């Protein structure tokens, strides 16, 4: 829909399967239409396309706070360039797409949850010797990684994306505030390379391109006010990551399109501020049931032994493998794969 699919696919490393590796070592290859591209390259493609469509790019800038009129309507933004210089931009609408770090949301008065839903640690490793050995996207579940999982994704030119993610990283404490669980991502990463031979070989014989980097994730369309007068919150700032899979870039793009369409309709049809906000909020609320299903299915990450059952069942039942492929392609919701009834069928079905 953004017109950059062919360019992205020409740059990316294609793959035909997602390999799901269960705690006991068995695996299943789930077919899908897949490709891997480092985030910086993807972002550059998107920025170029936006500029070609008429957007003006200014970077690096930091959002400091919204500009508001006497009635409290957002009419622009105060931005910081460098360490001291500030700029003010005035606009009919401000779209806040500042990612999972909450400072911009807090400054805009749109933050309902400061802590993330999950955290991840990833890096890029150059290892030409592993080309041809790791050809598919690989995801591993294990009790030493719970409540999360680990992955290796092959990128172009002998580069591999390797990382670990921990879901439900912040839980409610005694004072009602969300606090970080007792988990160290670097320890989880070390456990991954210890227990999974391909990860160990990739790191031992490869060159890490930059440092391992941590990142917060905001999931399930929760944690932020979607809209205020003159302001729409979109992308990861609005919580656009799926809890089960950690997939968020596509959902962030989708909500960005919804925000743009709401603003465009308002300008073209002469809609008032409230009508634009209502249109956008309704579009996000229509997505919420899908996010909720992924949130419930997140029990796989908390109970990795479930993956052993899923792999065992998919090896016996082509229909279940097809449903897993549908989850990967987002044509099938994951909820009915992991209900109590589904688990009973896994154990007792012939």
């Amino acid at each position: 829909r953004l017109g950059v699919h062919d360019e992205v696919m020409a740059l990316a490393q294609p793959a035909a399967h997602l390999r799901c590796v269960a705690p006991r070592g068995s695996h299943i290859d789930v077919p899908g239409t897949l490709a891997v591209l480092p985030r910086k390259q993807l972002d550059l493609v998107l920025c170029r396309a936006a500029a070609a469509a008429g957007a003006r790019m200014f970077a690096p800038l930091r959002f400091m706070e919204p500009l508001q009129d006497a009635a409290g309507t957002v009419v622009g933004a105060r931005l910081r360039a460098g360490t001291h210089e500030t700029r003010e931009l005035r606009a009919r609408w401000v779209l806040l797409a500042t990612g999972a770090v909450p400072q911009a949301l807090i400054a805009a008065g749109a933050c309902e949850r400061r802590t993330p839903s999950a955290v991840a640690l990833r890096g890029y490793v150059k290892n030409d010797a592993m080309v041809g050995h790791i050809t598919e996207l690989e995801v591993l579940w294990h009790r030493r990684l719970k409540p999360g999982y680990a992955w290796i994704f092959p990128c172009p030119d002998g580069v591999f994306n390797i990382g670990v993610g921990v879901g439900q990283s912040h839980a409610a404490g005694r004072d009602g505030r969300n606090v970080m669980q007792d988990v160290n991502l670097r320890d989880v990463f070390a456990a991954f390379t210890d227990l999974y031979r391909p990860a160990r070989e990739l790191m031992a014989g490869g060159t890490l391109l930059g440092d391992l980097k941590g990142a917060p994730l905001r999931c399930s369309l929760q944690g932020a006010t979607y809209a205020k007068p003159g302001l729409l919150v979109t992308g990861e700032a609005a919580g656009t990551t799926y809890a089960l899979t950690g997939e968020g870039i596509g959902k962030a793009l989708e909500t960005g399109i919804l925000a743009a369409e709401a603003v465009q309709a308002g300008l073209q049809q002469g809609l008032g501020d409230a009508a634009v906000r209502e249109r956008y909020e309704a579009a996000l609320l229509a997505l919420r049931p899908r996010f909720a299903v992924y949130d419930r299915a997140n029990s796989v990450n908390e109970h990795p032994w479930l993956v052993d059952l899923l792999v065992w069942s998919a090896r016996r039942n082509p229909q279940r493998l097809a449903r897993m492929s549908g989850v990967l392609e987002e044509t099938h919701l994951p909820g009915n794969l992991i209900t109590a009834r589904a688990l009973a069928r896994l154990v007792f079905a012939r």
Side-chain angles (χ1 to χ4, degrees), residues 252-272:
L253 291 173
E254 183 176 352
T255 59
I257 291 172
L258 293 175
E261 289 175 340
V263 170
Q264 185 181 43
L267 297 175
Q268 291 179 344
Q269 301 173 26
L271 303 178

Side-chain angles (χ1 to χ4, degrees), residues 312 343-350:
W312 174 75
L343 292 177
R345 286 201 301 268
L346 288 180
V347 176
F348 298 113
R350 293 182 179 179

Side-chain angles (χ1 to χ4, degrees), residues 19-29 138-143 145 150 195-196 300 303-313 315 324:
R19 173 163 292 183
C20 297
V21 183
R24 294 184 179 181
S26 61
H27 71 268
I28 193 75
D29 288 337
E138 299 188 0
V139 179
L140 173 79
W141 286 266
H142 194 274
R143 59 180 177 79
L145 306 176
L195 64 90
Y196 191 52
V300 165
H303 307 289
W305 57 269
L306 290 172
V307 181
D308 283 307
L309 279 178
L310 287 172
V311 168
W312 174 75
S313 174
R315 284 175 171 269
M324 293 174 69

Side-chain angles (χ1 to χ4, degrees), residues 97-110:
T98 48
V101 178
Q103 278 71 18
L105 282 172
I106 295 169

Side-chain angles (χ1 to χ4, degrees), residues 18-50:
L18 171 70
R19 173 163 292 183
C20 297
V21 183
R24 294 184 179 181
S26 61
H27 71 268
I28 193 75
D29 288 337
V30 182
T33 305
L34 307 167
V36 185
L37 187 66
R39 180 65 186 273
K40 286 186 177 180
Q41 291 179 264
L42 175 65
D43 288 352
L44 182 58
V45 170
L46 293 169
C47 284
R48 283 200 302 257

Side-chain angles (χ1 to χ4, degrees), residues 60-330:
L61 292 175
R62 181 180 295 275
F63 176 87
M64 301 304 295
E65 59 184 351
L67 301 177
Q68 295 177 292
D69 63 14
T73 298
V74 174
V75 293
R78 182 170 291 108
L79 309 168
R80 175 172 292 171
T83 56
H84 301 293
E85 184 182 4
T86 59
R87 300 283 185 90
E88 291 187 355
L89 287 178
R90 295 189 173 267
R92 175 65 186 85
W93 282 97
V94 172
L95 273 59
L96 199 65
T98 48
V101 178
Q103 278 71 18
L105 282 172
I106 295 169
C111 186
E112 297 178 354
R113 172 178 168 152
R114 297 192 178 201
T115 54
S117 312
V119 289
L121 181 74
R122 70 105 176 98
Y124 289 98
V125 179
K126 174 78 170 173
N127 190 330
D128 292 328
M130 296 299 288
V131 175
H133 294 278
I134 301 176
T135 59
E136 312 300 332
L137 284 70
E138 299 188 0
V139 179
L140 173 79
W141 286 266
H142 194 274
R143 59 180 177 79
R144 291 173 63 186
L145 306 176
K146 71 175 187 178
Y149 55 89
W151 70 83
I152 303 174
F153 297 161
C155 303
D157 304 320
V159 175
F160 297 84
N161 179 326
I162 181 171
V164 294
V166 174
Q168 298 182 337
S169 58
H170 290 69
R174 293 181 179 179
D175 59 357
R177 300 179 63 182
N178 290 318
V179 295
M180 179 74 177
Q181 292 190 42
D182 184 17
V183 60
N184 184 305
L185 283 175
R186 293 189 179 274
D187 289 344
V188 177
F189 189 88
F192 176 39
T193 57
D194 177 57
L195 64 90
Y196 191 52
R197 182 178 57 82
R200 185 166 59 252
E201 293 178 354
L202 179 66
M203 295 299 295
T207 301
L208 192 61
L209 305 179
D211 297 327
L212 292 173
K213 293 185 177 180
L217 304 176
R218 297 177 72 88
C219 301
S220 306
L221 288 178
Q222 297 176 355
T225 301
Y226 297 153
K228 299 178 66 176
L231 175 76
L232 302 182
V233 177
T234 191
E236 183 75 345
T240 53
T241 293
Y242 281 151
L244 171 65
T245 62
E247 197 281 313
I249 297 173
K251 301 299 101 184
L253 291 173
E254 183 176 352
T255 59
I257 291 172
L258 293 175
E261 289 175 340
V263 170
Q264 185 181 43
L267 297 175
Q268 291 179 344
Q269 301 173 26
L271 303 178
D273 181 288
V276 172
R277 286 185 282 124
E278 182 178 353
R279 179 188 177 112
Y280 176 60
E281 289 175 329
L284 289 192
L285 289 174
L287 296 177
R288 258 193 160 178
R290 176 178 288 268
F291 279 84
V293 170
Y294 278 82
D295 198 38
R296 292 194 296 272
N298 195 38
S299 58
V300 165
N301 295 328
E302 298 178 61
H303 307 289
W305 57 269
L306 290 172
V307 181
D308 283 307
L309 279 178
L310 287 172
V311 168
W312 174 75
S313 174
R315 284 175 171 269
R316 300 172 65 221
N317 188 335
Q319 291 182 341
R320 183 163 293 276
L321 178 61
R323 287 196 291 272
M324 293 174 69
S325 179
V327 172
L328 183 63
E329 300 276 14
E330 294 190 38

